[in-house]
Amino acid sequence: MKNGVSKTLYKYWNDLREARPAPNRSEIDPGRIRSLLGDTFILEVNSPHDVRYRLAGTRLCSAHCRELKGRNFLRGWNEKDREALASLIAAITEDAAAAVIGVAGHTEREQQLNMEMLLLPLNVPGEGRIRILGSSTPMERPYWLGLHPILSQSITSLRLVWPDERPYFLKPGEGVNPILPRFTAEGMSLPPSGLPQGAERQVGHLTVYSGGKS
């Protein structure tokens, strides 16, 4: 994680969950992360392909020049990125992964805003990990931010973080499973070699890196 908002939000979430795969949604105290609220959001996951904003911070809405509450999180991405995000959402909700995503936001004037997005699972008792706590923060704030809306987004990098150094469904002692055991994109070819140093797997058009506790 490169952005201070991402690091602070991750630490808050990780401290809150303790030994659990994820904290409960009801445990999130906005007062404890007051300075981060403008860049944070909460998603409701009805299915990997139906993910909607339940809450979105003012700075995030300002960058898009619209209210995001109730909107489809997967809207505004190209088809390949939507499929990758749907698989990523499944890894977060089913396997208690966290994700750090490099995002490029694009305006109609071909301006680009580079952002870091963090996605963290939240549990709803009796329903499972159907909420996601997230942040999306510009790496810098250009003069036009808030004047020209972000109309589309694309993934520039993707890293999964296993907070306990293994997917939650693995029992201690089972060893390290391949990264993203359920992260698949049907119909996307997987190159046999040539991965960058540190890469764990090529998923379609994305290179996936593993992460540890931070």
Side-chain angles (χ1 to χ4, degrees), residues 5 21 23 39 42 64 70 80 82 92 124-125 148 151 157 171 195-196 201 204 210:
V5 170
D39 298 304
I42 290 180
H64 290 262
K80 287 185 176 180
R82 283 198 305 271
I92 294 169
V124 176
H148 308 303
L151 298 179
S157 65
K171 297 178 181 178
L195 292 177
R201 179 174 295 182
S210 65

Side-chain angles (χ1 to χ4, degrees), residues 57-109:
T58 54
R59 287 190 292 269
L60 181 58
C61 291
S62 177
H64 290 262
C65 296
R66 63 177 66 89
E67 173 60 59
L68 296 177
K69 182 178 179 180
R71 291 177 66 89
N72 184 358
F73 171 74
L74 298 175
R75 182 177 178 179
W77 307 82
N78 65 39
E79 183 178 357
K80 287 185 176 180
D81 282 355
R82 283 198 305 271
E83 287 300 314
L85 286 169
S87 295
L88 181 65
I89 295 296
I92 294 169
T93 58
E94 296 175 20
D95 302 332
V100 183
I101 308 170
V103 176
H106 309 281
T107 74
E108 61 182 0
R109 300 191 178 194

Side-chain angles (χ1 to χ4, degrees), residues 41-45 51 89 92-93 118-122 129-134:
F41 56 87
I42 290 180
L43 302 176
E44 178 180 21
V45 181
V51 184
I89 295 296
I92 294 169
T93 58
L118 175 67
L119 300 176
L120 304 164
L122 294 176
R129 293 182 290 274
I130 62 170
R131 298 285 190 273
I132 292 176
L133 173 65

Side-chain angles (χ1 to χ4, degrees), residues 83 87 180-186 201 203:
E83 287 300 314
S87 295
L180 280 177
R182 302 181 189 179
F183 194 106
T184 60
E186 186 175 355
R201 179 174 295 182
V203 180

